[in-house]
Amino acid sequence: MFGSFEGKTVIVTGGSKGIGKGIAKVFAKHGANVAVVARHLDAAEECAKELMEDGSVVHACRGDVTDLESMKAIAKEVYEKFGSIDVVCANAGIFPSKSLEDMESNDWDHVMDTNTKGTFYTVQAMLPYLKKAEYGRIILTSSITGTITGYAGWSHYAASKAAQLGFMRTAALECADHNITVNAVSPGNVMTEGLAGMGEDYLKEMAEAIPLKKLGKVEDIGYAALFLASKEAGFITGQAIVVDGGQTLPEE
Ligand code: NAP
């Protein structure tokens, strides 16, 4: 469909499992050198090993998006290993549930620090290297929650995901001079390892609520990211693509 990603380097934060692993898999299959970042190096290495079984090039890095120095160290490590950083997928995120009444300051800060400040740190640390690329691409994993819908128990998460899109629009303006685009993918309910343990009935109920009658696959998000990272998407910036099987469409 698109030109090859051969010779391009892609960093995926939160790439050891779930949606990040799906994004990493899709880019690796399309010839990119991929670096997967997570706090648990063993899980990142396990993921890299699995993705490399078909000959893909995947490097595991230990990193924490809430720590700017850690993200700067990863940028340097990946640039030295592969010679460029072309695409950054700021995907790492957490979603612990807490009602508004029970939420304490540290619950709020933990989610905002990871999802929102973590996005800022990831982008700021990678920017010097993205500026050297032929064309740079930044792709954020936001959500339908907070940007289109609400979900009881996730007010902090919803705020963090909406904030990512506000950040995206201004970052897109600041990065435009350097031929770097900044876009987002907003997933609906996606089948991840975390969701798999929720039981058949729960998964069936979730799928029923989606017009296409199925949960998203992690690769569905990967393909949207691949499109936004392609040369062909070079005139798209500051936009979010909803990938939700029609979940947000019904009026009732
Ligand atoms: P997941 O399966 O729980 O995976 C989260 C990933 O992020 C793991 O690799 C985790 O590894 C990493 N991570 C967490 N905190 C980190 C930190 N501080 N620094 C670096 N890495 C960190 O999550 P997911 O469901 O795939 O969600 C990924 C993204 O998609 C999130 O931004 C989420 O908001 C968004 N999203 C998910 C869904 C869905 O249905 N699953 C829907 C909409 C949006 P370590 O724990 O080892 O660090």
Side-chain angles (χ1 to χ4, degrees), residues 111-112 115 145-147 149-151 154-164:
V111 168
M112 295 304 275
N115 298 359
T145 307
T147 63
T149 63
Y151 204 121
W154 275 276
S155 58
H156 49 356
Y157 175 74
S160 75
K161 292 284 132 180
Q164 279 184 305

Side-chain angles (χ1 to χ4, degrees), residues 82-93:
F82 292 125
S84 71
I85 296 175
D86 305 277
V87 180
V88 173
C89 297
N91 165 81

Side-chain angles (χ1 to χ4, degrees), residues 4-13 23-24 27 32-37 78 82 84-91 122-123 126-127 129-140 179-183 222 224-231:
S4 166
F5 281 79
E6 203 97 20
K8 302 272 183 216
T9 302
V10 181
I11 296 186
V12 186
T13 67
I23 295 172
F27 277 105
N33 302 318
V34 177
V36 290
V37 180
V78 173
F82 292 125
S84 71
I85 296 175
D86 305 277
V87 180
V88 173
C89 297
N91 165 81
T122 301
V123 170
M126 307 295 162
L127 204 50
Y129 302 93
L130 283 167
K131 282 162 73 174
K132 299 182 198 200
E134 183 193 355
Y135 51 89
R137 299 280 188 260
I138 296 169
I139 297 143
L140 316 180
N179 200 21
I180 299 168
T181 64
V182 189
N183 293 291
L226 188 83
F227 166 64
L228 290 170
S230 68
K231 193 169 192 172

Side-chain angles (χ1 to χ4, degrees), residues 48-63:
K49 195 172 153 209
E50 185 189 321
L51 299 187
M52 283 193 295
E53 275 166 14
D54 66 358
S56 295
V57 180
V58 182
H59 176 62
C61 305
R62 185 204 305 272

Side-chain angles (χ1 to χ4, degrees), residues 235-252:
F235 202 49
I236 301 174
T237 195
Q239 304 302 314
I241 298 183
V242 174
V243 182
D244 72 345
Q247 192 176 340
T248 51
L249 291 177
E251 279 191 54
E252 77 279 10

Side-chain angles (χ1 to χ4, degrees), residues 14-19 38-40 63-66 91-95 114 141-143 157 161 187-190 192:
S16 64
K17 59 179 179 157
I19 288 176
R39 290 165 303 176
H40 299 91
D64 186 339
V65 298
T66 66
N91 165 81
I94 56 168
F95 31 89
T114 306
T141 307
S142 179
S143 176
Y157 175 74
K161 292 284 132 180
N189 291 338
V190 175
T192 57

